[in-house]
Amino acid sequence: MIANVIGVLFDGVAYGSLLFIIAVGLAVTLGLMNFVNLAHGVFAMVGGYVCVVLMTRAGVPFLATLPVAFVAAAIVGLVLERTLYQHLYRASPLDQVLFTIGVVYMSIAGATYVFGSSQQPVFLPSYLRGQVHVLGVDLGVYRLFLVAVVALLTYALHLLLERTRFGSQVRASVDNPVAAAGLGINVNRVFALTFALGSGLAGLGGGLGIDVLGLDPTFPLKYMVYFLLVVAVGGSGTIKGPLVAAVILGVFDVSGKYFVPQIGGFVIYALMVLLLIVFPAGLYGRRT
């Protein structure tokens, strides 16, 4: 029984880690750029389909497809930001929501037309399959890999946003774009690169998540609420907040579906309500 509990908790941590990889890009664009992008899952879907196409049609190994998925999603995000999204930065939140919801449904239709409506396969290398025996508990190798990737990614993002010139420019551009431009910062370029970074992270998460979350044209709509929950509970504009929130939500979601399957699907929403009552600005959000 104890081994089962530990195994479920570990699966929850791995699931939460995957949610974090995808949602942290939304935390960046929503918290640092004040842009409500409900189409964030589209970039994750782009990364997922890039991985599938490269594996099934070009024979590219799984790990080699992940950097390509990051770059492809970042390019798509950059193009959309330059052509469409930048015109909505000063629009009302309602306009941003309606526009990005439209992008979601357009992407679903496009993906269905090109790839069909079926689930897409993923071919993990042999060294990422199976389980390892750790302290009497069998842990999935791929889940361990996801946790390790999140640890490295979190540290890299912290250094990028807190310890580099680019991170300082992002914060300055958000806090006061007029003053930032007066100091010589190219605000439009900073916003474009920030949006591309968030989109690329979503694409990376989409590729990593094929085996766990699945991949079909409804992906952006199916997991939209989960990504928003991570940002809302953790607090936008931070890295630590979404990480903690993703792990908590992942553990409770997996545990609820395993131990109380009759109401497992509602556990994560009940937890969200409770946490937002106690922490209205999120676990690590800015409080006014």
Side-chain angles (χ1 to χ4, degrees):
M1 181 62 183
I2 295 178
N4 287 338
V5 171
I6 295 176
V8 170
L9 292 178
F10 175 74
D11 285 345
V13 171
Y15 178 59
S17 299
L18 186 56
L19 291 179
F20 168 76
I21 295 176
I22 301 177
V24 68
L26 179 59
V28 170
T29 54
L30 178 60
L32 297 181
M33 300 174 62
N34 299 315
F35 184 79
V36 185
N37 181 25
L38 296 188
H40 188 72
V42 172
F43 305 117
M45 183 176 69
V46 169
Y49 276 113
V50 167
C51 288
V52 168
V53 170
L54 290 177
M55 284 187 291
T56 58
R57 301 182 185 179
V60 179
F62 172 69
L63 292 183
T65 67
L66 296 178
V68 183
F70 176 90
V71 173
I75 291 175
V76 172
L78 182 62
V79 170
L80 286 178
E81 194 276 340
R82 290 290 83 188
T83 57
L84 299 175
Y85 282 13
Q86 67 170 331
H87 303 294
L88 293 170
Y89 285 151
R90 296 186 179 181
S92 68
L94 178 60
D95 290 337
Q96 296 174 355
V97 166
L98 292 176
F99 178 82
T100 53
I101 282 289
V103 173
V104 168
Y105 282 103
M106 289 175 62
S107 70
I108 292 174
T112 302
Y113 178 79
V114 176
F115 299 102
S117 60
S118 61
Q119 286 281 340
Q120 299 298 312
V122 61
F123 305 103
L124 297 178
S126 58
Y127 53 84
L128 289 179
R129 296 197 297 263
Q131 296 180 326
V132 293
H133 199 66
V134 180
L135 300 176
V137 181
D138 291 327
L139 303 178
V141 175
Y142 190 65
R143 267 64 173 178
L144 285 170
F145 172 71
L146 289 177
V147 173
V149 168
V150 166
L152 293 175
L153 181 62
T154 302
Y155 182 68
L157 284 174
H158 172 74
L159 292 180
L160 176 65
L161 296 177
E162 301 294 335
R163 303 290 181 87
T164 66
R165 180 182 179 88
F166 174 73
S168 300
Q169 290 179 341
V170 171
R171 294 193 300 273
S173 299
V174 171
D175 291 339
N176 195 325
V178 176
L183 293 173
I185 297 175
N186 190 329
V187 176
N188 285 333
R189 184 176 64 184
V190 169
F191 276 5
L193 292 176
T194 303
F195 199 92
L197 172 64
S199 302
L201 291 172
L204 175 62
L208 288 168
I210 301 173
D211 184 64
V212 179
L213 302 178
L215 179 65
D216 62 63
T218 63
F219 181 91
L221 191 62
K222 187 187 305 181
Y223 290 101
M224 177 195 299
V225 174
Y226 281 80
F227 305 148
L228 290 173
L229 286 180
V230 171
V231 178
V233 172
S236 61
T238 71
I239 301 301
K240 184 178 181 180
L243 174 61
V244 174
V247 171
I248 293 175
L249 294 173
V251 167
F252 274 83
D253 192 36
V254 172
S255 300
K257 292 176 180 177
Y258 182 84
F259 292 112
V260 283
Q262 299 85 352
I263 60 170
F266 297 96
V267 171
I268 190 173
Y269 300 105
L271 179 63
M272 175 205 67
V273 172
L274 178 62
L275 289 175
L276 289 181
I277 289 175
V278 180
F279 305 98
L283 296 175
Y284 294 90
R286 298 177 181 177
R287 290 165 174 78
T288 56

